[in-house]
Short mmCIF file of all heavy atoms in Angstrom, two decimals:
data_model
loop_
_atom_site.label_atom_id
_atom_site.label_comp_id
_atom_site.label_asym_id
_atom_site.label_seq_id
_atom_site.Cartn_x
_atom_site.Cartn_y
_atom_site.Cartn_z
N ARG A 1 0.83 -1.20 0.00
CA ARG A 1 -0.01 0.00 -0.01
C ARG A 1 0.87 1.26 0.00
O ARG A 1 1.97 1.29 0.56
CB ARG A 1 -0.93 0.01 1.22
CG ARG A 1 -1.97 -1.10 1.15
CD ARG A 1 -3.03 -1.00 2.22
NE ARG A 1 -4.06 -2.01 2.01
CZ ARG A 1 -5.14 -1.81 1.27
NH1 ARG A 1 -5.31 -0.64 0.66
NH2 ARG A 1 -6.02 -2.76 1.10
N PHE A 2 0.34 2.30 -0.63
CA PHE A 2 1.03 3.56 -0.68
C PHE A 2 0.85 4.32 0.63
O PHE A 2 -0.20 4.21 1.29
CB PHE A 2 0.51 4.42 -1.83
CG PHE A 2 0.73 3.81 -3.19
CD1 PHE A 2 -0.33 3.66 -4.08
CD2 PHE A 2 2.00 3.38 -3.58
CE1 PHE A 2 -0.12 3.10 -5.33
CE2 PHE A 2 2.20 2.80 -4.82
CZ PHE A 2 1.14 2.67 -5.69
N HIS A 3 1.88 5.10 1.00
CA HIS A 3 1.75 5.99 2.13
C HIS A 3 0.89 7.19 1.72
O HIS A 3 0.66 7.46 0.54
CB HIS A 3 3.13 6.47 2.58
CG HIS A 3 4.00 5.34 3.04
ND1 HIS A 3 5.39 5.40 3.00
CD2 HIS A 3 3.71 4.12 3.54
CE1 HIS A 3 5.90 4.28 3.46
NE2 HIS A 3 4.89 3.48 3.80
N VAL A 4 0.45 7.95 2.71
CA VAL A 4 -0.33 9.15 2.44
C VAL A 4 0.51 10.12 1.63
O VAL A 4 1.64 10.46 2.01
CB VAL A 4 -0.80 9.80 3.75
CG1 VAL A 4 -1.53 11.12 3.46
CG2 VAL A 4 -1.69 8.85 4.53
N GLY A 5 -0.03 10.56 0.50
CA GLY A 5 0.69 11.51 -0.37
C GLY A 5 1.72 10.92 -1.27
O GLY A 5 2.35 11.64 -2.05
N GLU A 6 1.93 9.59 -1.18
CA GLU A 6 2.94 8.94 -2.02
C GLU A 6 2.40 8.77 -3.45
O GLU A 6 1.27 8.35 -3.64
CB GLU A 6 3.30 7.58 -1.44
CG GLU A 6 4.45 6.88 -2.15
CD GLU A 6 4.84 5.57 -1.46
OE1 GLU A 6 4.01 5.04 -0.69
OE2 GLU A 6 5.98 5.09 -1.69
N ARG A 7 3.23 9.10 -4.45
CA ARG A 7 2.85 9.00 -5.85
C ARG A 7 3.86 8.15 -6.63
O ARG A 7 5.05 8.16 -6.33
CB ARG A 7 2.73 10.40 -6.49
CG ARG A 7 1.65 11.28 -5.92
CD ARG A 7 1.67 12.63 -6.59
NE ARG A 7 2.87 13.41 -6.28
CZ ARG A 7 3.89 13.60 -7.10
NH1 ARG A 7 3.87 13.06 -8.32
NH2 ARG A 7 4.91 14.32 -6.73
N VAL A 8 3.37 7.49 -7.66
CA VAL A 8 4.24 6.72 -8.56
C VAL A 8 4.90 7.67 -9.54
O VAL A 8 4.22 8.45 -10.21
CB VAL A 8 3.45 5.63 -9.29
CG1 VAL A 8 4.33 4.97 -10.36
CG2 VAL A 8 2.93 4.60 -8.32
N LEU A 9 6.22 7.59 -9.62
CA LEU A 9 6.99 8.41 -10.57
C LEU A 9 7.38 7.63 -11.81
O LEU A 9 7.44 8.20 -12.91
CB LEU A 9 8.24 8.96 -9.89
CG LEU A 9 8.03 9.91 -8.71
CD1 LEU A 9 9.39 10.33 -8.15
CD2 LEU A 9 7.22 11.12 -9.12
N ALA A 10 7.68 6.36 -11.66
CA ALA A 10 8.12 5.53 -12.81
C ALA A 10 7.69 4.09 -12.60
O ALA A 10 7.74 3.56 -11.50
CB ALA A 10 9.64 5.61 -12.96
N GLY A 11 7.23 3.46 -13.70
CA GLY A 11 6.80 2.08 -13.65
C GLY A 11 5.32 1.95 -13.40
O GLY A 11 4.58 2.95 -13.46
N PRO A 12 4.87 0.73 -13.15
CA PRO A 12 5.65 -0.50 -13.02
C PRO A 12 6.31 -0.93 -14.33
O PRO A 12 5.68 -0.85 -15.39
CB PRO A 12 4.64 -1.55 -12.55
CG PRO A 12 3.47 -0.78 -12.05
CD PRO A 12 3.44 0.46 -12.86
N THR A 13 7.56 -1.37 -14.24
CA THR A 13 8.29 -1.96 -15.36
C THR A 13 8.57 -3.41 -15.00
O THR A 13 9.10 -3.70 -13.92
CB THR A 13 9.61 -1.21 -15.61
OG1 THR A 13 9.32 0.19 -15.82
CG2 THR A 13 10.30 -1.76 -16.85
N LEU A 14 8.22 -4.34 -15.91
CA LEU A 14 8.27 -5.75 -15.60
C LEU A 14 9.30 -6.48 -16.44
O LEU A 14 9.54 -6.14 -17.60
CB LEU A 14 6.90 -6.42 -15.85
CG LEU A 14 5.82 -6.32 -14.77
CD1 LEU A 14 5.42 -4.88 -14.52
CD2 LEU A 14 4.61 -7.17 -15.17
N GLY A 15 9.90 -7.51 -15.82
CA GLY A 15 10.62 -8.56 -16.51
C GLY A 15 9.89 -9.86 -16.23
O GLY A 15 8.86 -9.89 -15.57
N ASP A 16 10.45 -10.98 -16.71
CA ASP A 16 9.80 -12.26 -16.51
C ASP A 16 9.52 -12.59 -15.05
O ASP A 16 8.51 -13.20 -14.71
CB ASP A 16 10.65 -13.40 -17.09
CG ASP A 16 10.51 -13.48 -18.61
OD1 ASP A 16 9.60 -12.86 -19.15
OD2 ASP A 16 11.34 -14.18 -19.22
N ARG A 17 10.45 -12.21 -14.18
CA ARG A 17 10.36 -12.60 -12.76
C ARG A 17 10.56 -11.44 -11.79
O ARG A 17 10.71 -11.67 -10.59
CB ARG A 17 11.37 -13.71 -12.47
CG ARG A 17 11.11 -15.00 -13.21
CD ARG A 17 12.22 -16.03 -13.00
NE ARG A 17 11.92 -17.29 -13.66
CZ ARG A 17 12.19 -17.53 -14.92
NH1 ARG A 17 12.75 -16.60 -15.67
NH2 ARG A 17 11.90 -18.71 -15.46
N VAL A 18 10.58 -10.22 -12.29
CA VAL A 18 10.78 -9.06 -11.43
C VAL A 18 9.91 -7.90 -11.94
O VAL A 18 9.49 -7.88 -13.08
CB VAL A 18 12.25 -8.59 -11.40
CG1 VAL A 18 13.15 -9.61 -10.74
CG2 VAL A 18 12.75 -8.27 -12.82
N ALA A 19 9.64 -6.98 -11.03
CA ALA A 19 8.96 -5.73 -11.39
C ALA A 19 9.59 -4.61 -10.56
O ALA A 19 10.04 -4.84 -9.42
CB ALA A 19 7.46 -5.82 -11.15
N LEU A 20 9.60 -3.41 -11.11
CA LEU A 20 10.21 -2.28 -10.43
C LEU A 20 9.31 -1.06 -10.55
O LEU A 20 8.82 -0.76 -11.64
CB LEU A 20 11.58 -1.98 -11.01
CG LEU A 20 12.41 -0.87 -10.36
CD1 LEU A 20 12.72 -1.22 -8.90
CD2 LEU A 20 13.70 -0.64 -11.13
N VAL A 21 9.10 -0.38 -9.42
CA VAL A 21 8.29 0.84 -9.37
C VAL A 21 9.06 1.86 -8.53
O VAL A 21 9.59 1.53 -7.47
CB VAL A 21 6.91 0.57 -8.73
CG1 VAL A 21 6.07 1.84 -8.71
CG2 VAL A 21 6.20 -0.57 -9.44
N VAL A 22 9.05 3.10 -8.99
CA VAL A 22 9.66 4.20 -8.24
C VAL A 22 8.58 5.17 -7.85
O VAL A 22 7.80 5.61 -8.69
CB VAL A 22 10.75 4.91 -9.06
CG1 VAL A 22 11.32 6.09 -8.26
CG2 VAL A 22 11.88 3.94 -9.42
N THR A 23 8.49 5.49 -6.55
CA THR A 23 7.53 6.45 -6.07
C THR A 23 8.28 7.67 -5.53
O THR A 23 9.51 7.76 -5.59
CB THR A 23 6.65 5.87 -4.95
OG1 THR A 23 7.40 5.80 -3.72
CG2 THR A 23 6.17 4.46 -5.30
N THR A 24 7.52 8.61 -5.02
CA THR A 24 8.14 9.80 -4.42
C THR A 24 8.90 9.49 -3.15
O THR A 24 9.67 10.33 -2.68
CB THR A 24 7.05 10.83 -4.11
OG1 THR A 24 5.98 10.19 -3.40
CG2 THR A 24 6.50 11.44 -5.41
N ARG A 25 8.72 8.28 -2.59
CA ARG A 25 9.38 7.96 -1.33
C ARG A 25 10.24 6.70 -1.37
O ARG A 25 11.13 6.54 -0.55
CB ARG A 25 8.32 7.77 -0.21
CG ARG A 25 7.50 9.00 0.08
CD ARG A 25 6.62 8.76 1.29
NE ARG A 25 5.77 9.91 1.58
CZ ARG A 25 4.99 9.99 2.64
NH1 ARG A 25 4.93 8.97 3.48
NH2 ARG A 25 4.25 11.06 2.85
N ARG A 26 9.90 5.76 -2.32
CA ARG A 26 10.54 4.46 -2.25
C ARG A 26 10.82 3.90 -3.64
O ARG A 26 10.17 4.27 -4.62
CB ARG A 26 9.61 3.47 -1.52
CG ARG A 26 9.33 3.77 -0.08
CD ARG A 26 8.32 2.76 0.51
NE ARG A 26 6.97 2.98 0.01
CZ ARG A 26 5.93 2.21 0.31
NH1 ARG A 26 6.11 1.14 1.10
NH2 ARG A 26 4.73 2.47 -0.15
N ALA A 27 11.76 2.96 -3.67
CA ALA A 27 11.90 2.05 -4.79
C ALA A 27 11.24 0.75 -4.34
O ALA A 27 11.59 0.18 -3.29
CB ALA A 27 13.37 1.81 -5.13
N LEU A 28 10.27 0.28 -5.12
CA LEU A 28 9.53 -0.94 -4.78
C LEU A 28 9.83 -1.99 -5.84
O LEU A 28 9.65 -1.76 -7.05
CB LEU A 28 8.03 -0.64 -4.74
CG LEU A 28 7.58 0.33 -3.66
CD1 LEU A 28 6.13 0.76 -3.90
CD2 LEU A 28 7.72 -0.29 -2.27
N GLY A 29 10.28 -3.13 -5.40
CA GLY A 29 10.59 -4.21 -6.32
C GLY A 29 9.81 -5.47 -5.97
O GLY A 29 9.69 -5.82 -4.77
N PHE A 30 9.27 -6.11 -6.98
CA PHE A 30 8.56 -7.37 -6.74
C PHE A 30 9.46 -8.52 -7.15
O PHE A 30 9.97 -8.57 -8.28
CB PHE A 30 7.25 -7.44 -7.53
CG PHE A 30 6.49 -8.70 -7.27
CD1 PHE A 30 5.91 -8.96 -6.04
CD2 PHE A 30 6.36 -9.67 -8.27
CE1 PHE A 30 5.20 -10.13 -5.78
CE2 PHE A 30 5.63 -10.83 -8.05
CZ PHE A 30 5.07 -11.07 -6.79
N ASP A 31 9.66 -9.45 -6.22
CA ASP A 31 10.50 -10.64 -6.43
C ASP A 31 9.59 -11.80 -6.78
O ASP A 31 8.91 -12.35 -5.90
CB ASP A 31 11.30 -10.89 -5.15
CG ASP A 31 12.09 -12.20 -5.17
OD1 ASP A 31 12.05 -12.89 -6.20
OD2 ASP A 31 12.74 -12.51 -4.16
N GLY A 32 9.57 -12.16 -8.06
CA GLY A 32 8.69 -13.26 -8.49
C GLY A 32 9.11 -14.60 -7.95
O GLY A 32 8.32 -15.55 -7.94
#
């Protein structure tokens, strides 16, 4: 879940087994 006021700046960008999202506060990665 996003924090209050947090916005997505880039992504989601996906590979076969990973995903990457950049927000105003965090880099979020999904480990497939």
Side-chain angles (χ1 to χ4, degrees):
R1 293 189 174 272
F2 298 127
H3 298 154
V4 175
E6 186 175 20
R7 295 178 292 105
V8 172
L9 297 179
T13 304
L14 278 62
D16 282 346
R17 296 174 177 84
V18 294
L20 184 62
V21 182
V22 177
T23 76
T24 49
R25 298 187 181 185
R26 297 176 287 176
L28 296 168
F30 182 68
D31 173 1

